[in-house]
């Protein structure tokens, strides 16, 4: 990552709203007394504001700040760009829906490293967070799960980069194969670029990522189920050693526990995934979606049940939901993989009840 030991105060002139400043560098805290003694007021987001004043008063305050900063070995510079917070506020008004904008200052250079784990990006934004200097940024949040990060394009006199933070429920975002590429645009093109290009690409990438999460979970459950079913049918391990009744019961409990743990991914992503499949797009979709949604509701009830459940009770209530997703979920999700639909057949499953220990 790019870091600098030098500390700098950056100034942004804003029409009718005074001067905004922030400090950046390893000794950024040294800038606070210099700013405050020159009339700047610290704000909650880490920036400082010099309230609107006459041109002469503003010049005097700036001159005083420069003199004080020089004694502290801090440089002062005026940005030729418009203040990023103003750009973000304007974007929030232009984007579809309701958006809120805020500014975050990464005064200590290493603070921006925290961005890497949370960004979901395959383009220039991630590279900037990893290797360039990002002294401050603006976030845009629509309150419905989408949060964007906006920065000045590093190394360029103009232009901006905007990308996305990962949606809730996902980990390991760095270098995720489904991540959308950040948008690079001039200020005049940002709103249109986000609305027409970035947000549709983001939604498509999110759908693909949710599909992978759900199908992977169901594939793991299906594989475990086949292994369990084969064990019950033969009552022998793969080494031909007989399986005792107690051991078989233990393996059943282990299978159900793993199945439930894997199914939590379906609970996290199943419902928003169903919203991406309009019921009228294919015959039978409405019934499939209704069954899958009902299965999620039943499984969610197990999570929030007020009465403590035994393992057997939990298994009896959760297995029908898992089974529904193994069958109907496969049918629905294969719509995104039409070439595989004809070759792939769901495995035969038992009646809608939890697997039972084989008894002789």
């Amino acid at each position: 990552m790019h870091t600098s030991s030098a500390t700098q105060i950056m100034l942004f002139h804003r029409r009718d709203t005074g001067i905004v400043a922030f400090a950046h560098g390893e000794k950024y805290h040294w800038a606070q007394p210099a700013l405050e003694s020159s009339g700047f007021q610290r704000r909650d987001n880490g920036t400082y504001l010099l309230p609107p004043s006459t041109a002469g008063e503003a010049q005097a305050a700036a001159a005083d700040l420069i003199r004080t900063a020089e004694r502290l070995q801090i440089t002062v510079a005026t940005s030729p760009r418009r203040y990023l917070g103003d750009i973000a506020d304007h974007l929030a008004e232009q984007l579809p829906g309701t958006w809120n904008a805020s500014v975050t200052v990464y005064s200590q250079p290493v603070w921006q490293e925290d961005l890497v784990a949370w960004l979901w990006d395959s383009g220039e934004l991630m590279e900037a967070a990893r290797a360039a200097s990002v002294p401050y940024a603006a976030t845009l949040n629509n309150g419905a799960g989408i949060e964007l990060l906006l920065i000045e394009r590093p190394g360029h006199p103009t232009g901006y980069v905007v990308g996305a933070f990962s949606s809730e429920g996902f980990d390991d975002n760095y270098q995720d194969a489904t991540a959308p590429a950040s948008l690079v645009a001039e200020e005049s093109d940002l709103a249109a670029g986000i609305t027409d290009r970035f947000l549709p690409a983001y939604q498509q990438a999110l759908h693909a990522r949710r599909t992978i999460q759900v199908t992977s979970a169901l594939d793991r459950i299906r594989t475990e189920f086949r292994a369990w079913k084969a064990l019950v049918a033969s009552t022998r391990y793969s080494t031909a050693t007989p399986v005792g009744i107690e051991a078989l019961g233990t393996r059943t409990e282990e299978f159900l526990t793993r199945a439930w743990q894997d199914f939590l991914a379906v609970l996290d992503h199943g419902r928003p995934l169903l919203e991406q499949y309009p019921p009228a797009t294919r015959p039978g979709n409405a019934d499939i979606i209704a069954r899958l949604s009902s299965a999620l509701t039943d499984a969610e009830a197990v999570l929030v049940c007020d009465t403590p459940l035994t393992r057997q009770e939990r298994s009896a209530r959760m297995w029908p939901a898992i089974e529904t997703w193994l069958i109907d979920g496969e049918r629905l999700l294969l719509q995104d993989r039409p070439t595989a639909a004809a070759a792939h057949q769901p495995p035969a499953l038992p009646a809608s009840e939890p697997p039972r220990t084989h008894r002789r």
Side-chain angles (χ1 to χ4, degrees):
M1 171 176 292
H2 170 81
T3 59
S4 174
S5 59
T7 298
Q8 182 182 65
I9 295 174
M10 184 63 68
L11 303 178
F12 297 83
H13 288 281
R14 305 170 74 193
R15 183 180 301 176
D16 302 326
T17 54
I19 301 175
V20 172
F22 69 83
H24 178 258
E26 293 180 0
K27 299 178 180 178
Y28 72 94
H29 53 281
W30 287 15
Q32 181 173 346
L35 286 160
E36 292 181 345
S37 67
S38 301
F40 285 81
Q41 302 170 1
R42 193 179 190 281
R43 303 193 293 182
D44 291 340
N45 62 6
T47 63
Y48 293 79
L49 176 66
L50 182 68
S53 56
T54 65
E57 291 172 336
Q59 290 175 357
D64 182 68
L65 174 63
I66 292 172
R67 287 192 297 269
T68 305
E70 285 179 347
R71 291 197 298 269
L72 298 171
Q73 297 183 327
I74 298 172
T75 61
V76 179
T78 299
S79 176
R81 291 176 178 260
R82 194 155 77 99
Y83 176 54
L84 192 65
D86 293 340
I87 295 174
D89 287 339
H90 187 53
L91 273 177
E93 297 173 353
Q94 293 179 295
L95 296 179
T98 302
W99 293 77
N100 294 312
S102 61
V103 169
T104 301
V105 177
Y106 306 106
S107 296
Q108 182 67 257
V110 296
W111 290 354
Q112 74 182 67
E113 294 180 7
D114 294 339
L115 291 171
V116 175
W118 298 105
L119 288 176
W120 186 43
D121 181 70
S122 61
E124 194 166 319
L125 182 62
M126 179 64 79
E127 290 304 311
R130 290 180 59 249
S133 176
V134 182
Y136 81 136
T139 57
L140 292 153
N141 194 315
N142 73 344
I146 302 179
E147 187 174 11
L148 308 180
L149 187 73
L150 172 69
I151 66 171
E152 297 170 350
R153 191 180 188 191
H156 294 76
T158 63
Y160 297 85
V161 184
V162 62
F165 288 100
S166 177
S167 293
E168 185 177 355
F170 290 107
D171 298 315
D172 300 324
N173 305 305
Y174 181 62
Q175 292 186 333
D176 175 69
T178 62
S182 45
L183 173 75
V184 178
E186 296 297 319
E187 180 183 346
S188 59
D189 299 325
L190 275 174
I194 294 172
T195 301
D196 299 336
R197 300 196 301 278
F198 182 79
L199 288 178
Y202 169 88
Q203 294 290 3
Q204 184 177 6
L206 184 57
H207 177 76
R209 193 177 192 188
R210 284 171 172 158
T211 300
I212 290 172
Q213 291 286 318
V214 170
T215 54
S216 297
L218 295 178
D219 285 345
R220 290 192 298 271
I221 296 172
R222 188 176 291 107
T223 298
E224 290 286 346
F225 173 75
R226 286 170 173 163
W228 174 88
K229 188 177 181 181
L231 182 65
V232 171
S234 66
T235 67
R236 291 179 179 275
Y237 293 109
S238 58
T239 58
T241 304
V243 180
I245 293 178
E246 291 185 1
L248 192 56
T250 299
R251 290 295 294 269
T252 298
E253 292 297 330
E254 290 174 350
F255 160 68
L256 289 171
T257 299
R258 286 194 296 268
W260 177 245
Q261 291 172 344
D262 285 329
F263 196 69
L264 293 177
V266 182
L267 288 176
D268 285 339
H269 305 293
R271 206 170 291 283
L273 196 60
L274 293 181
E275 295 173 357
Q276 300 300 313
Y277 290 91
T281 53
R282 292 197 180 197
N285 259 17
D287 292 339
I288 290 176
I289 292 173
R291 288 195 296 269
L292 292 173
S293 180
S294 178
L296 290 177
T297 299
D298 293 341
E300 289 163 351
V302 177
L303 285 179
V304 299
C305 182
D306 295 331
T307 304
L309 299 176
T310 66
R311 286 188 175 185
Q312 291 180 341
E313 290 171 336
R314 186 188 66 180
S315 298
R317 292 181 58 177
M318 77 176 183
W319 182 252
I322 296 176
E323 182 189 39
T324 298
W325 270 86
L326 285 173
I327 299 174
D328 285 329
E330 184 71 16
R331 293 170 182 165
L332 188 71
L333 296 174
L334 280 175
Q335 293 182 19
D336 284 342
R337 297 175 293 173
T339 56
H344 188 98
Q345 296 295 328
L349 297 171
S352 297
E353 57 184 23
R356 296 180 179 178
T357 301
H358 177 79
R359 298 183 183 276
R360 296 178 182 174

